[in-house]
């Protein structure tokens, strides 16, 4: 597989999101208000969603954070769109510094409390959660997912780390929400 394939899949999905939401008025629903069936695509998070500036800032800051959630699903071939960018990071002080630098570079007005196991963030073009392995994922230990992450190269000159397929499917099954089960089933059908 091409080293740029996952980044290109994400770029195509962002274009589809832009097209699908171009005439949709804001509904006043933030990504954290997404339901467990439709997900964040049905929220205002999908309006103007463009995670690429933040992904580039993460790269430029030397972050080792890993894309999880539906953005990772899209990078593996899922066709469902999303409106948020969730990341898994190791919780160390060095990584916290890199995350803060990337957040600041992308206009984060209210820096999240990175001492928490899960912290919401918002930057220009994207919002989501910054999760550490301390966050409960049912009976799954997600810490090894950091080391097993895959890498894609965006054609504009930066790399993105994202959850390996098997780990992403296991994470979805561990969370167990209807949207996670549906998306795990989709990925399993794509890669039997």
């Amino acid at each position: 597989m091409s080293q740029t394939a996952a980044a290109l899949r994400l770029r195509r999905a962002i274009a589809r999101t832009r097209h699908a939401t171009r005439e949709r008025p804001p509904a006043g629903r933030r990504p954290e208000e997404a339901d467990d069936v439709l997900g964040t695509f049905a929220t205002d998070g999908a309006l103007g969603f463009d995670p690429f500036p933040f992904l580039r800032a993460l790269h430029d800051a030397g972050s080792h954070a890993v894309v999880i959630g539906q953005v990772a699903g899209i990078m593996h071939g899922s066709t469902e769109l999303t409106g948020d960018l969730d990341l898994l990071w190791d919780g160390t002080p060095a990584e916290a510094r890199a995350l803060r630098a990337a957040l600041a570079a992308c206009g984060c007005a209210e820096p999240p409390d990175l001492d928490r196991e899960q912290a919401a963030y918002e930057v220009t073009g994207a919002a989501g959660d910054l999760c550490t392995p301390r966050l409960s994922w049912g009976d799954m230990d997600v810490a090894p997912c950091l080391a097993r992450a895959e890498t894609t190269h965006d054609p504009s000159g930066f790399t993105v780390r994202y959850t390996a397929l098997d780990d992403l499917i296991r994470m979805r099954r561990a969370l167990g929400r209807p949207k996670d089960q549906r998306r795990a089933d989709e990925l399993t059908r794509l890669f039997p």
Side-chain angles (χ1 to χ4, degrees), residues 148-166:
R148 292 191 295 255
E150 297 184 24
T151 301
T152 186
H153 302 281
D154 188 79
S156 67
F158 63 96
T159 59
V160 178
R161 298 182 72 224
Y162 63 106
T163 315
L165 179 62
D166 290 344

Side-chain angles (χ1 to χ4, degrees), residues 49-138:
F49 181 61
D50 182 1
F52 281 99
F54 188 45
L55 292 171
R56 173 161 214 128
L58 290 166
H59 169 87
D60 291 347
S63 171
H64 297 288
V66 173
V67 174
I68 59 174
Q70 186 54 13
V71 170
I74 290 166
M75 295 174 84
H76 283 293
S78 175
T79 60
E80 282 196 39
L81 300 176
T82 189
D84 70 342
L85 172 66
D86 297 325
L87 300 168
L88 178 66
W89 66 290
D90 62 13
T92 64
E95 185 61 32
R97 283 190 295 278
L99 286 172
R100 284 187 190 99
L103 289 163
C106 289
C108 182
E110 295 182 37
D113 179 359
L114 295 180
D115 291 329
R116 299 179 59 213
E117 60 195 22
Q118 179 178 8
Y121 75 91
E122 186 171 347
V123 296
T124 302
D129 291 314
L130 302 170
C131 306
T132 70
R134 295 188 326 262
L135 181 64
S136 175
W137 295 83

Side-chain angles (χ1 to χ4, degrees), residues 21-30 42-48:
T21 62
R22 73 182 182 280
E23 295 180 17
R24 188 167 93 186
R29 290 186 64 216
R30 298 178 50 81
T43 71
D44 291 350
L47 306 177

